[in-house]
Amino acid sequence: MKINPLPLLQRLKVWQLWLFSVILSVLLTEVIVAVMGLLLKGEVPPDYLLIGLVASCFVASLVVAMLGYFLEKLTESHLQLYAIIEAEPECVKLVAADGTLLRMNRAGLNMIEADSLDQVLGQQIPQLMTAEYQDAFIVLTKRVFEGESGNLKFEMRGLKGTYRWMDTHAVPLRDSHGHITALLAVTRDITEHKASETALQEALDRLQKIASRVPVWAAMNLSCCWKILHTRTMPRGSLKELSQT
């Protein structure tokens, strides 16, 4: 029966793999030191020592190869995740507990009109928002670092002066021990949607003003005209019922 240890090793966490490697290295060192001591005392034949050294080198090479394999896989996974986040059309960012920016993808940098991440790295995110929404974002950040998730719609001003309406959804980002290390937020630009809502509300307000200015007699005449036109399309038996109304 062929045994493949790779699936088992792939399920190990990074710290478990390192611990296993350290323990194995210490054991190999102890074996080599013990064999060298016996050799110096003349208790071990040189042939046995050669075999032991070859075996130790083989195991050490296996450990190095295993570490290289997992580091390569970890790097590959990191690069794939980075490419996915950078290709995301929405703003993806990490924010520290004090509101400073830790990471942001290219779409987010375009939204805030930053030329590069270095330009805004470590800056306070609430400072990009208009004054009336800064406290709300601080409260949202506090809630996220307490383990909750939240949503906030706010207006912001880009580094080059452009105003935008944004809708952000924030959740806590945890490490392998379950500790919250950052606020993870996905934010989208809703400026066009907000403009459509404003235009619709303005149109409704104008209609209400027009309706409030229509005289009562005009409304009554419109009602009578509707009844007259309606009677022309109704059966004769229904005219009596309409006259009673």
Side-chain angles (χ1 to χ4, degrees), residues 6-34:
L6 286 181
L8 176 61
L9 294 175
Q10 287 175 343
R11 289 194 293 268
L12 293 177
K13 297 181 179 179
V14 175
W15 69 268
Q16 292 174 330
L17 180 62
W18 278 105
L19 180 60
F20 173 75
S21 301
V22 169
I23 293 175
L24 185 58
S25 300
V26 171
L27 291 177
L28 289 174
T29 303
E30 290 295 330
V31 170
I32 293 174
V33 170

Side-chain angles (χ1 to χ4, degrees), residues 97-125:
D98 59 355
T100 56
L101 179 66
L102 300 176
R103 290 293 302 269
M104 179 179 286
N105 67 343
R106 184 68 257 176
L109 295 175
N110 292 336
M111 289 180 187
I112 65 175
E113 301 176 324
D115 297 326
S116 65
L117 179 61
D118 293 336
Q119 186 178 356
V120 291
L121 190 64
Q123 300 296 320
Q124 288 284 333
I125 290 296

Side-chain angles (χ1 to χ4, degrees), residues 12 40 48 78 136 143 153 162 168 173 183 227:
L12 293 177
L40 293 175
Y48 288 179
H78 174 76
R143 286 176 51 200
K153 294 181 180 179
T162 304
T168 186
L173 181 67
L183 176 151
K227 286 186 177 182

Side-chain angles (χ1 to χ4, degrees), residues 220-245:
M220 293 177 62
N221 287 339
L222 288 174
S223 178
C224 292
C225 291
W226 179 86
K227 286 186 177 182
I228 293 172
L229 292 173
H230 189 57
T231 54
R232 294 181 180 180
T233 60
M234 292 178 60
R236 293 188 177 183
S238 302
L239 293 177
K240 184 177 180 180
E241 296 178 1
L242 180 62
S243 62
Q244 291 177 355
T245 61

Side-chain angles (χ1 to χ4, degrees), residues 1 101 133 175 191 210 245:
M1 181 178 178
L101 179 66
Y133 296 101
D175 59 15
T191 304
I210 294 173
T245 61

Side-chain angles (χ1 to χ4, degrees), residues 10-235:
Q10 287 175 343
R11 289 194 293 268
L12 293 177
K13 297 181 179 179
V14 175
W15 69 268
Q16 292 174 330
L17 180 62
W18 278 105
L19 180 60
F20 173 75
S21 301
V22 169
I23 293 175
L24 185 58
S25 300
V26 171
L27 291 177
L28 289 174
T29 303
E30 290 295 330
V31 170
I32 293 174
V33 170
V35 171
M36 290 296 294
L38 294 175
L39 178 64
L40 293 175
K41 293 178 181 179
E43 299 180 5
V44 177
D47 294 342
Y48 288 179
L49 176 61
L50 180 60
I51 294 174
L53 290 175
V54 171
S56 300
C57 292
F58 174 77
V59 175
S61 300
L62 180 62
V63 172
V64 172
M66 185 171 59
L67 286 175
Y69 172 79
F70 282 103
L71 288 176
E72 181 182 355
K73 289 296 181 182
L74 185 62
T75 303
E76 181 181 345
S77 176
H78 174 76
L79 292 176
Q80 289 177 351
L81 180 60
Y82 178 80
I84 292 173
I85 293 176
E86 284 298 307
E88 172 63 37
E90 313 294 354
C91 170
V92 181
K93 61 178 174 288
L94 296 178
V95 182
D98 59 355
T100 56
L101 179 66
L102 300 176
R103 290 293 302 269
M104 179 179 286
N105 67 343
R106 184 68 257 176
L109 295 175
N110 292 336
M111 289 180 187
I112 65 175
E113 301 176 324
D115 297 326
S116 65
L117 179 61
D118 293 336
Q119 186 178 356
V120 291
L121 190 64
Q123 300 296 320
Q124 288 284 333
I125 290 296
Q127 292 180 356
L128 294 171
M129 304 175 183
T130 53
E132 59 267 33
Y133 296 101
Q134 293 180 2
D135 290 339
F137 186 82
I138 294 174
V139 172
L140 174 63
T141 303
K142 183 179 179 181
R143 286 176 51 200
V144 169
F145 275 88
E146 291 175 351
E148 303 180 25
S149 59
N151 169 252
L152 178 66
K153 294 181 180 179
F154 60 90
E155 187 180 22
M156 60 155 284
R157 183 177 184 271
L159 299 180
K160 298 180 181 178
T162 304
Y163 285 87
R164 288 185 173 90
W165 278 97
M166 314 297 287
D167 183 11
T168 186
H169 295 262
V171 296
L173 181 67
R174 302 177 185 272
D175 59 15
S176 58
H177 302 288
H179 301 148
I180 299 175
T181 59
L183 176 151
L184 173 61
V186 177
T187 307
R188 62 189 182 97
D189 188 344
I190 59 170
T191 304
E192 294 183 1
H193 179 71
K194 195 72 175 179
S196 299
E197 286 184 347
T198 302
L200 179 60
Q201 186 61 46
E202 291 176 352
L204 290 175
D205 293 340
R206 288 196 296 269
L207 287 175
Q208 289 178 352
K209 290 180 181 179
I210 294 173
S212 64
R213 295 174 183 173
V214 175
V216 177
W217 63 267
M220 293 177 62
N221 287 339
L222 288 174
S223 178
C224 292
C225 291
W226 179 86
K227 286 186 177 182
I228 293 172
L229 292 173
H230 189 57
T231 54
R232 294 181 180 180
T233 60
M234 292 178 60

